[in-house]
Amino acid sequence: MTTATASQRNVLALPPALITAQAAMQSAEVQEMLRQLSAYGLGICMPHMHDEATGEFQPLPDEIMQVEAGLAVSFQPTAEIARQAGRFLPVAWVWRDGVSMPSAVCEMVQNEDGPDDEMPTVKHKMPTRN
């Protein structure tokens, strides 16, 4: 799917802030930003969440962060995640109040079982197997 193939009907069903984000992806300026970001292995995301009852798209509030842990996504208070920063790797960022802030993180686990001269390995937290 390219930006040109996104259904206009689907986009119009979004909240206004997300319609703006979708429309921006069509602009030459944002496409140039994306081209430049790709040189660093980065992309562009549309921070959002979904209404628990209806599944409808909603803008991601400043006080909520997307969290991936055990291959499942949840939405948790940003302040709570910030207090546990050592457990999480930021994977998406937004610009708020003049600074870059994480908007999505992955929960990590460290394996320090290797030899003393090796760096510990850091991996994504996986689901517990029964």
Side-chain angles (χ1 to χ4, degrees):
M1 172 188 275
T2 67
T3 56
T5 62
S7 166
Q8 190 64 23
R9 182 175 173 208
N10 290 342
V11 170
L12 292 176
L14 296 173
L18 301 183
I19 291 173
T20 299
Q22 288 287 313
M25 285 306 304
Q26 306 295 323
S27 75
E29 180 182 24
V30 172
Q31 289 294 308
E32 176 58 22
M33 288 181 218
L34 181 57
R35 185 189 69 74
Q36 291 179 29
L37 288 169
S38 70
Y40 301 97
L42 297 171
I44 294 174
C45 73
M46 182 181 77
H48 70 281
M49 60 187 296
H50 299 276
D51 181 274
E52 289 185 35
T54 66
E56 291 178 355
F57 280 83
Q58 298 176 328
L60 188 65
D62 290 356
E63 66 277 2
I64 300 293
M65 184 175 292
Q66 179 180 317
V67 177
E68 184 182 333
L71 302 181
V73 173
S74 65
F75 298 93
Q76 299 180 28
T78 300
E80 184 177 313
I81 300 305
R83 285 191 294 271
Q84 308 170 65
R87 289 179 46 199
F88 298 97
L89 177 70
V91 296
W93 299 262
V94 294
W95 192 257
R96 288 191 186 124
D97 301 323
V99 296
S100 173
M101 301 288 295
S103 64
V105 296
C106 286
E107 187 173 17
M108 307 301 286
V109 293
Q110 270 191 328
N111 179 4
E112 299 185 24
D113 295 338
D116 290 337
D117 61 339
E118 285 187 17
M119 291 291 291
T121 58
V122 178
K123 297 180 180 181
H124 190 277
K125 183 175 183 181
M126 298 299 285
T128 305
R129 306 272 186 224
N130 292 335

